[in-house]
PDB file of all heavy atoms in Angstrom:
ATOM      1  N   ILE Y  85     182.616 223.421 -25.207  1.00  0.00           N
ATOM      2  CA  ILE Y  85     181.903 222.095 -24.814  1.00  0.00           C
ATOM      3  C   ILE Y  85     183.018 221.032 -24.715  1.00  0.00           C
ATOM      4  O   ILE Y  85     182.688 219.872 -24.744  1.00  0.00           O
ATOM      5  CB  ILE Y  85     180.863 221.768 -25.913  1.00  0.00           C
ATOM      6  CG1 ILE Y  85     181.380 221.690 -27.260  1.00  0.00           C
ATOM      7  CG2 ILE Y  85     179.628 222.670 -25.754  1.00  0.00           C
ATOM      8  CD1 ILE Y  85     180.428 221.111 -28.268  1.00  0.00           C
ATOM      9  N   GLN Y  89     185.894 222.424 -28.947  1.00  0.00           N
ATOM     10  CA  GLN Y  89     184.722 222.733 -29.767  1.00  0.00           C
ATOM     11  C   GLN Y  89     183.721 223.664 -28.979  1.00  0.00           C
ATOM     12  O   GLN Y  89     183.962 223.939 -27.824  1.00  0.00           O
ATOM     13  CB  GLN Y  89     183.978 221.484 -30.297  1.00  0.00           C
ATOM     14  CG  GLN Y  89     184.853 220.487 -30.888  1.00  0.00           C
ATOM     15  CD  GLN Y  89     185.521 221.004 -32.184  1.00  0.00           C
ATOM     16  OE1 GLN Y  89     184.930 221.795 -32.847  1.00  0.00           O
ATOM     17  NE2 GLN Y  89     186.738 220.654 -32.430  1.00  0.00           N
ATOM     18  N   THR Y  90     182.868 224.245 -29.703  1.00  0.00           N
ATOM     19  CA  THR Y  90     181.929 225.127 -28.940  1.00  0.00           C
ATOM     20  C   THR Y  90     180.388 224.813 -29.325  1.00  0.00           C
ATOM     21  O   THR Y  90     180.157 224.282 -30.446  1.00  0.00           O
ATOM     22  CB  THR Y  90     182.200 226.615 -29.457  1.00  0.00           C
ATOM     23  OG1 THR Y  90     182.137 226.710 -30.858  1.00  0.00           O
ATOM     24  CG2 THR Y  90     183.464 227.137 -28.947  1.00  0.00           C
ATOM     25  N   ILE Y  91     179.518 225.190 -28.486  1.00  0.00           N
ATOM     26  CA  ILE Y  91     178.125 225.106 -28.729  1.00  0.00           C
ATOM     27  C   ILE Y  91     177.768 226.411 -29.483  1.00  0.00           C
ATOM     28  O   ILE Y  91     178.262 227.465 -29.133  1.00  0.00           O
ATOM     29  CB  ILE Y  91     177.239 224.943 -27.507  1.00  0.00           C
ATOM     30  CG1 ILE Y  91     175.728 224.898 -27.718  1.00  0.00           C
ATOM     31  CG2 ILE Y  91     177.535 226.015 -26.478  1.00  0.00           C
ATOM     32  CD1 ILE Y  91     174.964 224.556 -26.470  1.00  0.00           C
ATOM     33  N   SER Y  92     177.040 226.322 -30.603  1.00  0.00           N
ATOM     34  CA  SER Y  92     176.789 227.510 -31.343  1.00  0.00           C
ATOM     35  C   SER Y  92     175.968 228.520 -30.615  1.00  0.00           C
ATOM     36  O   SER Y  92     175.225 228.244 -29.745  1.00  0.00           O
ATOM     37  CB  SER Y  92     176.075 227.132 -32.645  1.00  0.00           C
ATOM     38  OG  SER Y  92     176.773 226.178 -33.359  1.00  0.00           O
ATOM     39  N   GLU Y 115     172.439 217.106 -40.267  1.00  0.00           N
ATOM     40  CA  GLU Y 115     173.285 218.001 -39.571  1.00  0.00           C
ATOM     41  C   GLU Y 115     174.689 217.359 -39.613  1.00  0.00           C
ATOM     42  O   GLU Y 115     174.974 216.320 -39.173  1.00  0.00           O
ATOM     43  CB  GLU Y 115     172.804 218.173 -38.119  1.00  0.00           C
ATOM     44  CG  GLU Y 115     173.735 219.166 -37.381  1.00  0.00           C
ATOM     45  CD  GLU Y 115     173.494 219.227 -35.853  1.00  0.00           C
ATOM     46  OE1 GLU Y 115     173.107 218.161 -35.303  1.00  0.00           O
ATOM     47  OE2 GLU Y 115     173.613 220.309 -35.275  1.00  0.00           O
ATOM     48  N   VAL Y 116     175.645 218.285 -40.009  1.00  0.00           N
ATOM     49  CA  VAL Y 116     177.087 217.929 -39.980  1.00  0.00           C
ATOM     50  C   VAL Y 116     177.632 218.684 -38.803  1.00  0.00           C
ATOM     51  O   VAL Y 116     177.765 219.819 -38.879  1.00  0.00           O
ATOM     52  CB  VAL Y 116     177.773 218.182 -41.298  1.00  0.00           C
ATOM     53  CG1 VAL Y 116     179.264 217.857 -41.211  1.00  0.00           C
ATOM     54  CG2 VAL Y 116     177.128 217.392 -42.481  1.00  0.00           C
ATOM     55  N   GLY Y 117     178.223 217.893 -37.758  1.00  0.00           N
ATOM     56  CA  GLY Y 117     178.715 218.532 -36.605  1.00  0.00           C
ATOM     57  C   GLY Y 117     177.745 218.612 -35.474  1.00  0.00           C
ATOM     58  O   GLY Y 117     177.169 219.614 -35.107  1.00  0.00           O
ATOM     59  N   THR Y 118     177.533 217.386 -34.812  1.00  0.00           N
ATOM     60  CA  THR Y 118     176.515 217.294 -33.690  1.00  0.00           C
ATOM     61  C   THR Y 118     176.926 218.119 -32.520  1.00  0.00           C
ATOM     62  O   THR Y 118     176.135 218.756 -31.904  1.00  0.00           O
ATOM     63  CB  THR Y 118     176.441 215.807 -33.228  1.00  0.00           C
ATOM     64  OG1 THR Y 118     176.451 214.906 -34.429  1.00  0.00           O
ATOM     65  CG2 THR Y 118     175.269 215.627 -32.343  1.00  0.00           C
ATOM     66  N   GLY Y 119     178.318 218.141 -32.219  1.00  0.00           N
ATOM     67  CA  GLY Y 119     178.816 218.914 -31.075  1.00  0.00           C
ATOM     68  C   GLY Y 119     178.098 218.560 -29.785  1.00  0.00           C
ATOM     69  O   GLY Y 119     177.970 217.399 -29.434  1.00  0.00           O
ATOM     70  N   SER Y 120     177.421 219.540 -29.180  1.00  0.00           N
ATOM     71  CA  SER Y 120     176.717 219.366 -27.889  1.00  0.00           C
ATOM     72  C   SER Y 120     175.340 218.706 -28.141  1.00  0.00           C
ATOM     73  O   SER Y 120     174.720 218.197 -27.192  1.00  0.00           O
ATOM     74  CB  SER Y 120     176.449 220.695 -27.260  1.00  0.00           C
ATOM     75  OG  SER Y 120     175.596 221.520 -28.044  1.00  0.00           O
ATOM     76  N   GLY Y 121     174.791 218.818 -29.371  1.00  0.00           N
ATOM     77  CA  GLY Y 121     173.496 218.293 -29.682  1.00  0.00           C
ATOM     78  C   GLY Y 121     172.443 219.353 -29.560  1.00  0.00           C
ATOM     79  O   GLY Y 121     171.262 219.115 -29.726  1.00  0.00           O
ATOM     80  N   TYR Y 122     172.742 220.571 -29.270  1.00  0.00           N
ATOM     81  CA  TYR Y 122     171.834 221.661 -29.115  1.00  0.00           C
ATOM     82  C   TYR Y 122     171.057 221.920 -30.341  1.00  0.00           C
ATOM     83  O   TYR Y 122     169.845 221.975 -30.384  1.00  0.00           O
ATOM     84  CB  TYR Y 122     172.459 222.868 -28.500  1.00  0.00           C
ATOM     85  CG  TYR Y 122     171.533 224.029 -28.317  1.00  0.00           C
ATOM     86  CD1 TYR Y 122     170.441 224.049 -27.385  1.00  0.00           C
ATOM     87  CD2 TYR Y 122     171.593 225.145 -29.211  1.00  0.00           C
ATOM     88  CE1 TYR Y 122     169.522 224.999 -27.346  1.00  0.00           C
ATOM     89  CE2 TYR Y 122     170.704 226.203 -29.064  1.00  0.00           C
ATOM     90  CZ  TYR Y 122     169.685 226.136 -28.157  1.00  0.00           C
ATOM     91  OH  TYR Y 122     168.812 227.156 -28.017  1.00  0.00           O
ATOM     92  N   GLN Y 123     171.790 222.142 -31.487  1.00  0.00           N
ATOM     93  CA  GLN Y 123     171.125 222.465 -32.717  1.00  0.00           C
ATOM     94  C   GLN Y 123     170.274 221.244 -33.095  1.00  0.00           C
ATOM     95  O   GLN Y 123     169.235 221.456 -33.671  1.00  0.00           O
ATOM     96  CB  GLN Y 123     172.216 222.823 -33.805  1.00  0.00           C
ATOM     97  CG  GLN Y 123     171.656 222.821 -35.208  1.00  0.00           C
ATOM     98  CD  GLN Y 123     171.054 224.197 -35.624  1.00  0.00           C
ATOM     99  OE1 GLN Y 123     171.693 225.211 -35.697  1.00  0.00           O
ATOM    100  NE2 GLN Y 123     169.711 224.123 -35.785  1.00  0.00           N
ATOM    101  N   VAL Y 137     175.714 213.873 -37.885  1.00  0.00           N
ATOM    102  CA  VAL Y 137     176.999 213.208 -38.031  1.00  0.00           C
ATOM    103  C   VAL Y 137     178.090 214.041 -37.232  1.00  0.00           C
ATOM    104  O   VAL Y 137     178.152 215.246 -37.360  1.00  0.00           O
ATOM    105  CB  VAL Y 137     177.431 213.122 -39.533  1.00  0.00           C
ATOM    106  CG1 VAL Y 137     178.821 212.344 -39.585  1.00  0.00           C
ATOM    107  CG2 VAL Y 137     176.352 212.386 -40.195  1.00  0.00           C
ATOM    108  N   GLU Y 138     178.866 213.332 -36.478  1.00  0.00           N
ATOM    109  CA  GLU Y 138     179.977 213.987 -35.654  1.00  0.00           C
ATOM    110  C   GLU Y 138     181.264 213.111 -35.829  1.00  0.00           C
ATOM    111  O   GLU Y 138     181.184 211.951 -35.700  1.00  0.00           O
ATOM    112  CB  GLU Y 138     179.516 214.122 -34.206  1.00  0.00           C
ATOM    113  CG  GLU Y 138     180.532 214.586 -33.242  1.00  0.00           C
ATOM    114  CD  GLU Y 138     181.255 215.942 -33.522  1.00  0.00           C
ATOM    115  OE1 GLU Y 138     180.470 216.940 -33.649  1.00  0.00           O
ATOM    116  OE2 GLU Y 138     182.491 216.025 -33.668  1.00  0.00           O
ATOM    117  N   ARG Y 139     182.451 213.875 -35.927  1.00  0.00           N
ATOM    118  CA  ARG Y 139     183.651 213.118 -36.118  1.00  0.00           C
ATOM    119  C   ARG Y 139     184.371 212.785 -34.837  1.00  0.00           C
ATOM    120  O   ARG Y 139     185.254 211.949 -34.763  1.00  0.00           O
ATOM    121  CB  ARG Y 139     184.670 213.913 -36.990  1.00  0.00           C
ATOM    122  CG  ARG Y 139     185.061 215.227 -36.454  1.00  0.00           C
ATOM    123  CD  ARG Y 139     186.067 215.930 -37.426  1.00  0.00           C
ATOM    124  NE  ARG Y 139     187.377 215.193 -37.440  1.00  0.00           N
ATOM    125  CZ  ARG Y 139     188.365 215.476 -36.586  1.00  0.00           C
ATOM    126  NH1 ARG Y 139     188.147 216.302 -35.576  1.00  0.00           N
ATOM    127  NH2 ARG Y 139     189.437 214.816 -36.744  1.00  0.00           N
ATOM    128  N   ILE Y 140     184.005 213.447 -33.677  1.00  0.00           N
ATOM    129  CA  ILE Y 140     184.535 213.160 -32.415  1.00  0.00           C
ATOM    130  C   ILE Y 140     183.701 212.293 -31.559  1.00  0.00           C
ATOM    131  O   ILE Y 140     182.530 212.726 -31.113  1.00  0.00           O
ATOM    132  CB  ILE Y 140     184.929 214.480 -31.618  1.00  0.00           C
ATOM    133  CG1 ILE Y 140     185.821 215.395 -32.430  1.00  0.00           C
ATOM    134  CG2 ILE Y 140     185.477 214.222 -30.194  1.00  0.00           C
ATOM    135  CD1 ILE Y 140     186.133 216.733 -31.798  1.00  0.00           C
ATOM    136  N   LEU Y 143     182.171 213.444 -28.175  1.00  0.00           N
ATOM    137  CA  LEU Y 143     181.012 214.418 -28.275  1.00  0.00           C
ATOM    138  C   LEU Y 143     179.744 213.742 -28.814  1.00  0.00           C
ATOM    139  O   LEU Y 143     178.657 213.910 -28.197  1.00  0.00           O
ATOM    140  CB  LEU Y 143     181.368 215.533 -29.235  1.00  0.00           C
ATOM    141  CG  LEU Y 143     182.417 216.598 -28.725  1.00  0.00           C
ATOM    142  CD1 LEU Y 143     182.753 217.568 -29.854  1.00  0.00           C
ATOM    143  CD2 LEU Y 143     181.788 217.362 -27.586  1.00  0.00           C
ATOM    144  N   ALA Y 164     181.214 209.746 -37.945  1.00  0.00           N
ATOM    145  CA  ALA Y 164     181.911 209.708 -39.268  1.00  0.00           C
ATOM    146  C   ALA Y 164     182.429 211.113 -39.599  1.00  0.00           C
ATOM    147  O   ALA Y 164     182.071 212.112 -38.916  1.00  0.00           O
ATOM    148  CB  ALA Y 164     180.924 209.207 -40.314  1.00  0.00           C
ATOM    149  N   ASP Y 165     183.165 211.170 -40.725  1.00  0.00           N
ATOM    150  CA  ASP Y 165     183.472 212.423 -41.286  1.00  0.00           C
ATOM    151  C   ASP Y 165     182.269 212.928 -42.031  1.00  0.00           C
ATOM    152  O   ASP Y 165     181.889 212.396 -43.132  1.00  0.00           O
ATOM    153  CB  ASP Y 165     184.693 212.251 -42.191  1.00  0.00           C
ATOM    154  CG  ASP Y 165     185.063 213.526 -42.886  1.00  0.00           C
ATOM    155  OD1 ASP Y 165     184.311 214.548 -42.854  1.00  0.00           O
ATOM    156  OD2 ASP Y 165     186.143 213.552 -43.526  1.00  0.00           O
ATOM    157  N   GLY Y 166     181.550 213.852 -41.587  1.00  0.00           N
ATOM    158  CA  GLY Y 166     180.333 214.401 -42.114  1.00  0.00           C
ATOM    159  C   GLY Y 166     180.528 215.125 -43.439  1.00  0.00           C
ATOM    160  O   GLY Y 166     179.539 215.422 -44.161  1.00  0.00           O
ATOM    161  N   GLY Y 167     181.780 215.380 -43.835  1.00  0.00           N
ATOM    162  CA  GLY Y 167     182.064 216.020 -45.151  1.00  0.00           C
ATOM    163  C   GLY Y 167     181.624 215.021 -46.262  1.00  0.00           C
ATOM    164  O   GLY Y 167     181.406 215.480 -47.386  1.00  0.00           O
ATOM    165  N   THR Y 182     177.516 222.721 -39.363  1.00  0.00           N
ATOM    166  CA  THR Y 182     177.810 223.608 -38.211  1.00  0.00           C
ATOM    167  C   THR Y 182     179.381 223.738 -37.917  1.00  0.00           C
ATOM    168  O   THR Y 182     179.761 224.072 -36.797  1.00  0.00           O
ATOM    169  CB  THR Y 182     177.045 223.173 -36.939  1.00  0.00           C
ATOM    170  OG1 THR Y 182     177.581 221.957 -36.452  1.00  0.00           O
ATOM    171  CG2 THR Y 182     175.594 223.010 -37.217  1.00  0.00           C
ATOM    172  N   ALA Y 183     180.210 223.314 -38.865  1.00  0.00           N
ATOM    173  CA  ALA Y 183     181.682 223.638 -38.860  1.00  0.00           C
ATOM    174  C   ALA Y 183     182.015 224.086 -40.252  1.00  0.00           C
ATOM    175  O   ALA Y 183     181.261 223.789 -41.198  1.00  0.00           O
ATOM    176  CB  ALA Y 183     182.374 222.329 -38.516  1.00  0.00           C
ATOM    177  N   VAL Y 235     183.997 226.836 -35.886  1.00  0.00           N
ATOM    178  CA  VAL Y 235     185.193 226.076 -35.840  1.00  0.00           C
ATOM    179  C   VAL Y 235     185.358 225.329 -37.199  1.00  0.00           C
ATOM    180  O   VAL Y 235     184.381 225.181 -37.949  1.00  0.00           O
ATOM    181  CB  VAL Y 235     185.145 224.942 -34.675  1.00  0.00           C
ATOM    182  CG1 VAL Y 235     185.101 225.634 -33.332  1.00  0.00           C
ATOM    183  CG2 VAL Y 235     183.930 223.986 -34.937  1.00  0.00           C
ATOM    184  N   PRO Y 236     186.562 224.938 -37.587  1.00  0.00           N
ATOM    185  CA  PRO Y 236     186.785 224.312 -38.900  1.00  0.00           C
ATOM    186  C   PRO Y 236     186.144 222.976 -39.087  1.00  0.00           C
ATOM    187  O   PRO Y 236     186.134 222.259 -38.143  1.00  0.00           O
ATOM    188  CB  PRO Y 236     188.318 224.264 -38.996  1.00  0.00           C
ATOM    189  CG  PRO Y 236     188.852 224.312 -37.728  1.00  0.00           C
ATOM    190  CD  PRO Y 236     187.787 225.117 -36.867  1.00  0.00           C
ATOM    191  N   LEU Y 237     185.764 222.680 -40.302  1.00  0.00           N
ATOM    192  CA  LEU Y 237     185.330 221.313 -40.652  1.00  0.00           C
ATOM    193  C   LEU Y 237     186.620 220.531 -40.905  1.00  0.00           C
ATOM    194  O   LEU Y 237     187.385 220.864 -41.774  1.00  0.00           O
ATOM    195  CB  LEU Y 237     184.423 221.336 -41.859  1.00  0.00           C
ATOM    196  CG  LEU Y 237     183.811 219.979 -42.286  1.00  0.00           C
ATOM    197  CD1 LEU Y 237     182.521 219.702 -41.495  1.00  0.00           C
ATOM    198  CD2 LEU Y 237     183.540 219.918 -43.761  1.00  0.00           C
ATOM    199  N   LEU Y 238     186.857 219.497 -40.087  1.00  0.00           N
ATOM    200  CA  LEU Y 238     188.114 218.689 -40.255  1.00  0.00           C
ATOM    201  C   LEU Y 238     187.768 217.352 -40.893  1.00  0.00           C
ATOM    202  O   LEU Y 238     186.611 216.914 -40.760  1.00  0.00           O
ATOM    203  CB  LEU Y 238     188.667 218.511 -38.807  1.00  0.00           C
ATOM    204  CG  LEU Y 238     189.058 219.815 -38.069  1.00  0.00           C
ATOM    205  CD1 LEU Y 238     189.468 219.445 -36.676  1.00  0.00           C
ATOM    206  CD2 LEU Y 238     190.173 220.599 -38.899  1.00  0.00           C
TER     207      LEU Y 238
HETATM  208  N1  SAH M 316     175.789 222.239 -33.666  1.00  0.00           N
HETATM  209  C1  SAH M 316     176.841 222.178 -32.633  1.00  0.00           C
HETATM  210  C2  SAH M 316     178.077 222.836 -33.101  1.00  0.00           C
HETATM  211  C3  SAH M 316     179.285 222.278 -32.476  1.00  0.00           C
HETATM  212  S1  SAH M 316     180.772 222.923 -33.239  1.00  0.00           S
HETATM  213  C4  SAH M 316     176.344 222.678 -31.316  1.00  0.00           C
HETATM  214  O1  SAH M 316     175.458 223.641 -31.268  1.00  0.00           O
HETATM  215  O2  SAH M 316     176.738 222.241 -30.250  1.00  0.00           O
HETATM  216  C5  SAH M 316     181.030 221.987 -34.654  1.00  0.00           C
HETATM  217  C6  SAH M 316     181.197 220.490 -34.535  1.00  0.00           C
HETATM  218  O3  SAH M 316     181.545 220.019 -35.779  1.00  0.00           O
HETATM  219  C7  SAH M 316     182.251 219.978 -33.544  1.00  0.00           C
HETATM  220  O4  SAH M 316     181.726 219.168 -32.640  1.00  0.00           O
HETATM  221  C8  SAH M 316     183.296 219.333 -34.457  1.00  0.00           C
HETATM  222  O5  SAH M 316     183.860 218.216 -33.890  1.00  0.00           O
HETATM  223  C9  SAH M 316     182.364 218.917 -35.638  1.00  0.00           C
HETATM  224  N2  SAH M 316     183.004 218.612 -36.893  1.00  0.00           N
HETATM  225  C10 SAH M 316     184.017 219.263 -37.429  1.00  0.00           C
HETATM  226  N3  SAH M 316     184.377 218.661 -38.611  1.00  0.00           N
HETATM  227  C11 SAH M 316     183.544 217.634 -38.819  1.00  0.00           C
HETATM  228  C12 SAH M 316     183.356 216.626 -39.765  1.00  0.00           C
HETATM  229  N4  SAH M 316     184.116 216.576 -40.878  1.00  0.00           N
HETATM  230  N5  SAH M 316     182.321 215.761 -39.611  1.00  0.00           N
HETATM  231  C13 SAH M 316     181.522 215.842 -38.567  1.00  0.00           C
HETATM  232  N6  SAH M 316     181.611 216.646 -37.646  1.00  0.00           N
HETATM  233  C14 SAH M 316     182.565 217.664 -37.649  1.00  0.00           C
END
Side-chain angles (χ1 to χ4, degrees):
I85 53 172
Q89 306 302 323
T90 53
I91 182 173
S92 304
E115 176 190 36
V116 176
T118 316
S120 67
Y122 175 69
Q123 169 82 69
V137 182
E138 169 60 55
R139 65 179 287 279
I140 300 177
L143 285 174
D165 178 349
T182 69
V235 295
L237 187 84
L238 302 174

